[in-house]
C-alpha cells in the first residue's frame, strides 16, 4: 500500500524517483566515527577545511561552465562562510572542547545558525541553513564520506532541510525532485531547485521522518503531494501525467519565440519577475520580453548597511543589459511587512503590513532613496529602464517621489554624470486606495503595475501569509476584479500603460480576463510564461471580452473561478 503525504507546492511538476534521505546518512557515519587525540582532530579539521575549499572552488567553476550561475554564486558564498573566522574559530574551540572534529564542526555550525535563526529576519533566518550546510559538508569531508551515491535511477532528495550544495551537486538528468520538512519557499535550496525547474514540495514537517530511505516515490508537485511506494496502478496513472507534462514542455518550447497574441491579433507583453540581476538572464529560456518587476529589496537584505549607489548601479546595469533593449522595471526598495531590515532600526510594529514600510520609509529617508534613484537613472543608459514605487496610497506621495526623482536628475546633470533621460516613473497599484484613486493618480505617473499579492490582501483584509485564512484569499473576488478593471480603464483613458506583477498575472485564466480589460503587460516568475502564453494564443479578444462581461456579473470569487475553468 502506498502512503500519501500532503505538503506545499514550491515548484510544480510531476516526477518519479528513488528517495535519498540526505540527513540520515550523516548521522550514521557520525555514530561509527572514531576520534583521534586532540592534535589529530585539530589537524583533521584544518585539512578538511582546505579540502572542502578546493572542492567548492572546483564545483563553482564547473557550475559556471554548465551555465548554472545562480548555483555557482551560492556555492561561492559557502566558500566565504567556510573561511569566516567566526566559524573557523568556533570550530577550533569546539574541537578542543569535544575532541571530535566532525561533531565539533556540526556543533559550531549549529550554534552560528541558531544565532541567525533567532534574528527575527527572514533573510538571516534562511542564511542559517547555509551555515548548517557548510558544517555538514565539512563534517562529511573530515570523516571521508563521499557525496551521495547516485545510481542509474533519478533521485528525490529528502530531508528536513536539504542543503543547497547537495542539490547543486546532483546532475540535472539524475535529479527528479526535492522534498523538505521545512516550509519556506524562498530559502536557497528552493531557489536552486526553482532555477533548475526541479519539482519541489516543502512543509512536510514531522511527516518527512515517515519516508524511508531508498523507496520509490511519486511527486505530484501540482498538488503538493508525495506518494511513497506507489502501487503499479498509481505509477501507471502518473506515467500518463508525466507524458502529458513532457508534451507540454515540447509545446512550450515551440511557442517560446512566438508573440503572446490572441487569435485575432491582440498582443500583450509577457515579462519576468526577478529578485537578482542573474534571474533576468535565466528568464530568457522561457521567452520573456523584459522584466516587469525587479524586487530590488533583495540587494538591501543580507548585509549590514544600505548598499552603496555604486553597488546598486552595477546590479541594475546587469539586469538592464540582460533585458536586451526591452523594458526593465526596477521597483524601489520594498522593505517592511514580511521583509524587515535590521540596520534600518525600525521599532517593532504590531501590524508590520500596515506599518512603516516601502515608499513610506523612502520618502522620509533621502539617504536611502536618492542613491537608489541615481543608480537606476545612471544604469538606464544601458537599455530601457523604469522606476516603480510600491505601496502608494496618495497623490502627495507620488508628487514627493517625483520631485526627488527630478532632483536626482538635476544632481547627476550638475555632476556631469551620464544618465538616461527617458526613465519612466510609475507606481504599483497594490492598495485599495491607489486603485480607487487611479483616475487621478494617472495624471502623475507614466504607468501602473497592479500588485495583486498585496491588493488582494488589503482589499479582502486577508493576511497573504497566514495559512489559516488562505481559503479566503482569492484574486477572482468581485471586489478585487472591480478594482483591477477600474485601474486598467483609468490608465487607458489617460494614455498610460497598465501592467500586472502580482501572482495573479501567472494564472492563465486571469490573463484572458485581464487582456479583455485592456492590460498591456503581465509580469510573472519566468517558468510561468509559456503556460500563460499558450492560453492567450488559444482565444480571441472578442471571446475574452464576452467572458469578461459574464464574469463581471457574477457574485462570488468561486463562481468566477468555476466559470473560467468551465469555459476557457
Ligand atoms: C504584489 O504585492 O503583488 C507584489 C508584486 O509585490 P510583493 O509580492 O513583493 O509584495
Ligand atoms: Mg507588494
Amino acid at each position: 500500500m502506498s502512503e500519501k503525504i500532503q505538503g506545499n507546492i514550491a515548484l510544480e511538476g510531476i516526477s518519479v524517483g528513488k528517495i535519498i534521505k540526505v540527513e540520515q546518512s550523516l548521522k550514521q557515519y557520525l555514530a561509527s566515527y572514531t576520534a583521534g587525540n586532540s592534535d589529530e582532530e585539530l589537524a583533521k579539521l584544518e585539512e578538511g577545511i582546505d579540502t572542502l575549499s578546493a572542492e567548492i572552488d572546483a564545483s563553482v567553476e564547473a557550475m559556471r561552465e554548465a551555465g548554472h550561475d545562480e548555483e555557482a554564486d551560492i556555492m561561492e558564498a559557502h566558500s566565504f562562510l567556510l573561511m569566516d573566522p567566526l566559524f573557523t574559530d568556533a570550530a577550533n574551540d569546539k574541537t578542543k572542547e569535544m575532541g571530535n572534529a566532525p561533531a565539533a564542526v556540526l556543533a559550531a555550525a549549529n550554534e552560528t545558525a541558531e544565532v541567525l535563526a533567532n534574528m527575527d529576519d527572514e533573510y538571516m533566518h534562511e542564511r542559517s541553513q547555509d551555515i548548517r550546510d557548510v558544517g555538514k559538508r565539512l563534517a562529511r569531508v573530515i570523516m571521508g564520506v563521499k557525496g551521495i551515491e547516485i545510481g542509474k535511477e533519478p533521485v528525490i532528495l529528502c530531508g528536513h532541510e536539504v542543503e543547497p550544495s547537495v542539490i547543486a551537486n546532483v546532475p540535472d538528468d539524475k535529479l527528479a525532485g526535492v522534498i523538505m520538512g521545512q516550509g519556506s519557499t524562498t530559502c536557497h535550496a528552493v531557489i536552486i531547485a526553482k532555477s533548475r525547474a526541479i519539482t519541489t514540495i516543502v512543509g512536510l514537517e514531522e511527516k518527512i521522518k515517515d519516508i524511508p530511505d531508498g523507496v520509490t516515490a511519486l511527486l505530484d508537485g501540482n498538488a503538493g503531494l508525495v506518494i511513497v511506494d506507489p502501487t503499479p496502478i498509481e505509477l501507471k496513472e502518473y506515467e500518463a501525467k508525466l507524458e502529458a507534462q513532457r508534451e507540454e514542455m515540447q509545446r512550450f518550447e515551440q511557442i517560446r519565440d512566438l508573440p503572446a497574441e490572441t487569435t485575432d491579433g491582440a498582443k500583450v507583453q509577457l515579462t519576468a519577475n526577478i529578485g537578482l540581476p542573474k534571474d533576468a538572464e535565466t528568464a530568457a529560456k522561457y521567452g520573456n520580453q523584459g522584466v516587469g518587476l525587479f524586487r530590488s529589496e533583495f540587494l538591501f537584505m543580507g548585509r549590514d548597511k544600505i548598499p552603496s549607489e555604486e553597488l546598486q548601479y552595477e546590479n541594475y546595469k546587469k539586469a538592464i543589459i540582460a533585458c536586451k533593449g526591452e523594458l526593465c522595471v526596477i521597483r524601489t526598495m520594498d522593505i517592511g511587512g514580511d521583509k524587515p531590515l535590521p540596520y534600518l532600526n525600525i521599532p517593532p510594529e504590531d501590524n508590520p503590513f500596515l506599518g512603516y514600510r516601502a515608499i513610506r520609509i523612502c520618502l522620509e529617508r533621502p539617504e536611502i532613496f536618492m542613491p537608489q534613484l541615481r543608480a537606476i537613472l545612471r544604469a538606464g543608459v544601458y537599455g530601457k529602464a523604469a522606476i516603480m514605487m510600491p505601496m502608494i496610497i496618495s497623490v502627495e506621495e507620488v508628487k514627493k517621489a517625483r520631485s526627488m526623482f527630478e532632483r536626482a536628475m538635476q544632481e547627476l546633470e550638475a555632476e556631469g554624470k551620464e544618465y538616461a533621460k527617458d526613465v519612466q516613473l510609475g507606481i504599483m497599484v497594490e492598495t485599495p486606495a491607489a486603485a480607487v484613486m487611479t483616475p487621478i493618480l494617472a495624471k502623475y505617473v507614466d504607468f501602473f503595475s497592479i500588485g495583486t499579492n498585496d491588493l488582494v490582501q488589503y482589499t479582502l483584509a486577508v493576511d497573504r501569509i497566514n495559512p489559516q485564512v488562505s481559503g479566503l484569499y482569492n484574486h477572482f473576488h468581485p471586489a478585487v476584479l472591480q478594482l483591477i478593471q477600474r485601474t486598467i480603464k483609468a490608465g487607458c483613458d489617460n494614455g498610460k500603460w497598465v501592467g500586472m506583477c502580482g501572482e495573479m498575472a501567472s494564472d492563465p485564466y486571469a490573463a484572458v480576463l485581464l487582456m479583455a480589460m485592456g492590460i498591456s503587460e503581465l509580469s510573472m516568475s519566468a517558468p510561468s510564461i509559456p503556460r500563460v502564453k499558450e492560453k492567450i494564443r488559444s482565444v480571441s479578444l472578442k471571446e475574452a471580452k464576452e467572458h469578461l462581461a459574464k464574469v463581471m456579473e457574477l457574485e462570488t470569487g468561486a463562481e468566477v473561478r468555476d466559470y473560467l475553468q468551465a469555459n476557457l
Side-chain angles (χ1 to χ4, degrees):
M1 256 287 277
S2 64
E3 193 194 349
K4 293 197 170 88
I5 304 178
Q6 186 66 50
N8 303 322
I9 305 165
L11 193 73
E12 292 161 356
I14 310 265
S15 53
V16 188
K18 190 173 96 173
I19 293 284
I20 298 227
K21 297 287 285 255
V22 285
E23 280 160 0
Q24 187 179 309
S25 52
L26 184 60
K27 269 195 208 134
Q28 286 163 346
Y29 283 110
L30 206 54
S32 52
Y33 175 76
T34 328
N37 66 32
S38 179
D39 285 346
E40 281 165 357
E41 289 304 290
L42 282 170
K44 279 191 212 164
L45 172 65
E46 200 176 317
E47 244 173 69
I49 292 177
D50 290 346
T51 312
L52 180 56
S53 169
E55 240 176 55
I56 296 180
D57 289 350
S59 67
V60 165
E61 209 170 299
M63 282 167 196
R64 292 225 186 275
E65 269 169 28
H68 295 318
D69 272 345
E70 204 161 8
E71 293 168 49
D73 286 350
I74 293 174
M75 286 306 107
E76 222 156 44
H78 281 197
S79 163
F80 292 132
L81 278 175
L82 175 68
M83 294 302 181
D84 192 325
L86 256 183
F87 172 66
T88 50
D89 289 353
N92 252 300
D93 292 349
K94 289 246 176 261
T95 305
K96 284 181 200 151
E97 198 183 303
M98 298 166 75
N100 178 323
V105 158
L106 290 174
N110 276 340
E111 217 167 67
T112 321
E114 283 294 305
V115 175
L116 292 177
N118 287 328
M119 275 173 93
D120 199 22
D121 171 325
E122 201 189 346
Y123 184 85
M124 286 302 179
H125 198 102
E126 279 159 11
R127 296 304 72 78
S128 71
Q129 288 182 26
D130 291 340
I131 291 189
R132 285 205 176 95
D133 187 358
V134 170
K136 286 176 191 168
R137 261 189 106 173
L138 183 54
R140 278 197 198 103
V141 169
I142 294 171
M143 293 187 288
V145 180
K146 298 259 177 309
I148 51 171
E149 299 275 330
I150 312 268
K152 283 205 188 100
E153 238 182 295
V155 299
I156 295 172
L157 301 174
C158 171
H160 182 71
E161 286 171 12
V162 177
E163 301 134 59
S165 61
V166 175
I167 303 176
N169 285 308
V170 181
D172 279 347
D173 60 338
K174 288 284 182 289
L175 186 53
V178 177
I179 48 182
M180 288 192 256
Q182 67 85 28
S184 165
T185 51
T186 51
C187 64
H188 267 152
V190 175
I191 292 173
I192 284 197
K194 274 190 173 178
S195 72
R196 288 172 63 181
I198 307 293
T199 307
T200 307
I201 299 177
V202 298
L204 272 72
E205 297 175 354
E206 290 303 302
K207 290 170 282 181
I208 199 91
K209 292 194 183 135
D210 303 338
I211 304 177
D213 195 33
V215 291
T216 299
L218 255 170
L219 301 190
D220 184 347
N222 305 333
L225 199 63
V226 180
I227 305 179
V228 182
D229 202 6
T231 61
I233 297 174
E234 281 166 335
L235 275 171
K236 212 163 167 141
E237 269 172 30
Y238 275 86
E239 188 48 50
K241 286 194 186 178
L242 262 173
E243 190 47 40
Q245 183 174 282
R246 277 186 219 116
E247 280 168 16
E248 191 181 53
M249 298 305 274
Q250 278 168 5
R251 288 202 318 272
F252 288 173
E253 190 60 35
Q254 280 161 9
I255 59 168
R256 196 188 60 193
D257 300 320
L258 298 177
E261 183 179 27
T262 58
T263 53
D264 49 358
K267 285 201 177 81
V268 67
Q269 183 108 356
L270 299 186
T271 57
N273 287 354
I274 65 167
L276 293 168
K278 283 231 162 48
D279 303 343
E281 290 160 18
T282 334
K285 275 204 296 217
Y286 301 96
N288 70 314
Q289 302 163 279
V291 163
L293 168 63
F294 178 171
R295 289 183 161 99
S296 73
E297 56 276 7
F298 285 106
L299 291 178
F300 288 70
M301 294 157 100
R303 50 183 82 243
D304 54 10
K305 58 179 190 309
I306 300 165
S308 67
E309 178 181 322
E310 246 6 77
L311 189 137
Q312 291 190 58
Y313 162 75
E314 288 299 335
N315 277 278
Y316 303 147
K317 176 176 155 187
K318 207 164 165 192
I320 291 167
I321 291 173
C323 286
K324 299 196 173 83
E326 298 282 5
L327 191 62
C328 180
V329 181
I330 301 169
R331 173 171 77 184
T332 58
M333 187 196 75
D334 189 10
I335 279 302
D338 61 342
K339 292 175 279 197
L341 206 54
Y343 60 79
L344 293 186
N345 294 322
I346 296 166
E349 300 177 302
D350 285 340
N351 286 307
F353 271 111
L354 304 181
Y356 191 52
R357 54 172 298 199
I359 196 70
R360 300 172 182 179
I361 303 175
C362 287
L363 294 180
E364 279 186 10
R365 296 186 56 176
E367 78 279 13
I368 298 174
F369 204 36
M370 292 303 284
Q372 181 161 39
L373 295 174
R374 289 169 52 106
I376 303 172
L377 283 163
R378 287 175 52 207
V381 298
Y382 293 93
K384 244 170 106 182
I387 295 175
M388 172 160 84
M389 295 169 296
M391 275 299 286
I392 292 287
I393 58 164
S394 71
V395 168
E396 292 100 305
E397 287 168 338
V398 180
K399 283 188 176 168
K400 185 157 184 202
R402 190 168 275 286
S403 80
M404 291 171 88
F405 170 71
E406 278 158 11
R407 181 147 55 90
M409 285 200 269
Q410 284 155 11
E411 280 178 15
L412 291 169
E413 190 76 47
E415 291 165 25
K417 291 213 166 110
E418 213 187 350
Y419 69 96
K421 300 193 171 63
D422 59 353
V423 173
Q424 302 180 36
L425 186 67
I427 62 167
M428 288 191 72
V429 175
E430 56 179 348
T431 63
V436 171
M437 293 287 290
T438 46
I440 297 170
L441 287 167
K443 290 189 252 170
Y444 302 96
V445 300
D446 297 318
F447 65 92
F448 292 133
S449 182
I450 306 170
T452 48
N453 304 343
D454 279 317
L455 185 62
V456 173
Q457 143 164 285
Y458 294 130
T459 305
L460 306 182
V462 174
D463 184 342
R464 63 190 264 189
I465 55 175
N466 180 347
Q468 249 181 320
V469 289
S470 61
L472 299 173
Y473 190 98
N474 182 353
H475 53 236
F476 289 127
H477 189 294
V480 175
L481 290 183
Q482 287 191 32
L483 289 178
I484 292 172
Q485 192 173 36
R486 179 180 175 86
T487 301
I488 298 174
K489 183 173 183 308
C492 295
D493 288 351
N494 288 277
K496 306 294 162 78
W497 65 268
V498 183
M500 176 176 284
C501 58
E503 285 303 307
M504 182 179 185
S506 63
D507 175 341
Y509 297 116
V512 173
L513 284 190
L514 294 163
M515 279 198 77
M517 289 182 188
I519 207 145
S520 16
E521 179 239 28
L522 295 169
S523 192
M524 63 202 81
S525 77
S528 302
I529 290 177
R531 192 162 289 123
V532 170
K533 189 190 278 185
E534 188 178 56
K535 181 61 85 188
I536 288 169
R537 292 180 61 83
S538 73
V539 292
S540 69
L541 187 63
K542 186 168 168 287
E543 283 159 358
K545 285 189 172 163
E546 285 161 12
H547 291 309
L548 176 65
K550 293 204 178 110
V551 157
M552 295 310 278
E553 304 265 288
L554 298 175
E555 294 177 354
T556 70
E559 281 170 23
V560 175
R561 195 179 288 281
D562 290 348
Y563 173 90
L564 294 172
Q565 280 171 0
N567 292 283
L568 278 176

